[in-house]
Amino acid sequence: MTTTAVSRPAPESAVDGLDGFTHQYADVNGTRIHYVIGGEGPAVVLVHGFPFTWAVWREVMPLLASRGYTVLASDLRGMGASDPAETGTFAKANVAEDIRQIVQRLELGPINLVGMDVGGMVAYAYASRHPGEVRRLVLSETLIPGFGLEEMMNPATGGAWTFGFHAQVDLATFLTQGKEEAFLSPYYRLTSVRTDAEAFGATHYLPYYTGPLGIRGGFQHYSWMIDDGKANRADFTAKLPMPVLALNGDHGYFREQLLAGVRQVAEQVESDVIPDASHAYGFDNPEATGERFDRFFG
């Protein structure tokens, strides 16, 4: 399979296939962040993970806009069409500040915040440091540093080897650079129930992870996870005051571990699954995802 050459969208340009949505850039918190925005009404902010981009939300975004929301999906620091960032800046609280400054600049708050995978770790950092600015929180297909992530980083106890490998940024980059397609394409197959997932990834995700700094930007988020857990524990003084939904695809990952972590950090907890969906649940079943978000936010 061949990948599409990366082309960063022009500022304020229309998003192909998404009527009413535009590409935007913001110089915030010492870096330049790309985001897509459209719709009108209360804000829903969507935060992706690795090895995805904002486009993992692409199919659910117009459905949310049609239900009366302003929908914003950014590319995380160092990923997608956002700029490469300095190595020492990937603590989840700092990555959350990128998004928070965009929200403040656009006067969108208080927001409904959704994070999946690494983006869920960023969303928790956002909500826990600024609880008055988050109306409702969805943590999905993720683990919370300091509250369940560390146990699942250990392959000896049933955890995933990928956490440790990705965290060795220099080594992981050296071993995968020039082999990004071979390394990442299986992720797109394994994290979706759709037969076109690999082809979609080749078009919308993979091009941004190739080149000198592409995949390194994703790995840098992993290098901070142990420190993120320590910071979350140190900063934990009270449970989250907003309602929190722990959400997974019915073919997704870490459902029990995520729910256990959410119950440690939140007072008002709901849990649910998106049917016919895996890790990339918003891509797999956008209709069910949009409906579940709307019920929770409404």
Side-chain angles (χ1 to χ4, degrees):
M1 179 177 293
T2 58
T3 60
T4 304
V6 67
S7 177
R8 296 183 188 276
E12 302 185 13
S13 61
V15 181
D16 289 343
L18 290 186
D19 290 343
F21 283 85
T22 59
H23 295 281
Q24 303 289 344
Y25 293 85
D27 294 310
V28 290
N29 198 26
T31 190
R32 190 175 195 233
I33 299 294
H34 166 256
Y35 64 96
V36 170
I37 189 168
E40 294 182 359
V44 177
V45 176
L46 305 167
V47 191
H48 71 87
F50 175 83
F52 307 103
T53 68
W54 73 270
V56 73
W57 305 111
R58 180 183 179 92
E59 300 197 22
V60 75
M61 291 169 71
L63 302 180
L64 289 171
S66 72
R67 290 174 179 264
Y69 296 97
T70 297
V71 186
L72 186 155
S74 73
D75 280 327
L76 285 175
R77 169 178 289 246
M79 290 202 268
S82 294
D83 278 3
E86 296 294 327
T87 298
T89 64
F90 285 81
K92 301 303 172 293
N94 192 56
V95 178
E97 185 62 21
D98 299 342
I99 302 168
R100 178 174 178 252
Q101 288 187 19
I102 295 172
V103 168
Q104 290 181 321
R105 184 175 296 182
L106 298 176
E107 299 181 344
L108 294 178
I111 62 171
N112 301 296
L113 181 59
V114 181
M116 60 89 70
D117 189 82
V118 173
M121 303 176 195
V122 175
Y124 173 77
Y126 192 136
S128 61
R129 273 67 170 188
H130 307 284
E133 299 175 19
V134 177
R135 180 179 171 273
R136 294 200 167 209
L137 175 65
V138 179
L139 298 177
S140 57
E141 289 292 325
T142 191
L143 295 161
I144 305 173
F147 300 93
L149 169 65
E150 291 75 7
E151 292 80 359
M152 298 311 297
M153 294 178 76
N154 184 1
T157 56
W161 66 271
T162 52
F163 289 110
F165 177 70
H166 294 171
Q168 304 304 310
V169 176
D170 291 337
L171 175 63
T173 302
F174 172 75
L175 292 175
T176 59
Q177 207 160 55
K179 308 176 187 69
E180 296 91 348
E181 182 176 352
F183 182 67
L184 294 179
S185 291
Y187 281 80
Y188 303 135
R189 292 196 302 272
L190 294 171
T191 57
S192 175
V193 300
R194 284 176 48 168
T195 57
D196 63 339
E198 186 176 350
F200 186 89
T203 299
H204 293 283
Y205 313 138
L206 189 56
Y208 292 99
Y209 289 105
T210 58
L213 296 175
I215 202 166
R216 184 181 181 87
F219 293 150
Q220 285 174 309
H221 288 267
Y222 286 80
S223 68
W224 280 87
M225 287 182 181
I226 296 297
D227 288 335
D228 292 328
K230 294 176 182 177
N232 286 345
R233 283 285 189 181
D235 291 343
F236 184 74
T237 57
K239 289 190 173 183
L240 297 172
M242 77 287 294
V244 180
L245 172 62
L247 187 65
N248 290 85
D250 63 353
H251 292 77
Y253 305 113
F254 305 128
R255 183 183 179 193
E256 293 180 4
Q257 295 87 348
L258 170 59
L259 182 57
V262 170
R263 284 174 171 160
Q264 291 182 69
V265 302
E267 292 281 2
Q268 304 175 65
V269 178
E270 297 181 31
S271 67
D272 209 345
V273 296
I274 299 298
D276 304 315
S278 185
H279 191 59
Y281 63 92
F283 167 72
D284 283 347
N285 195 340
E287 292 81 8
T289 300
E291 189 277 332
R292 189 62 182 93
F293 284 173
D294 187 34
R295 270 198 289 135
F296 182 59
F297 301 146

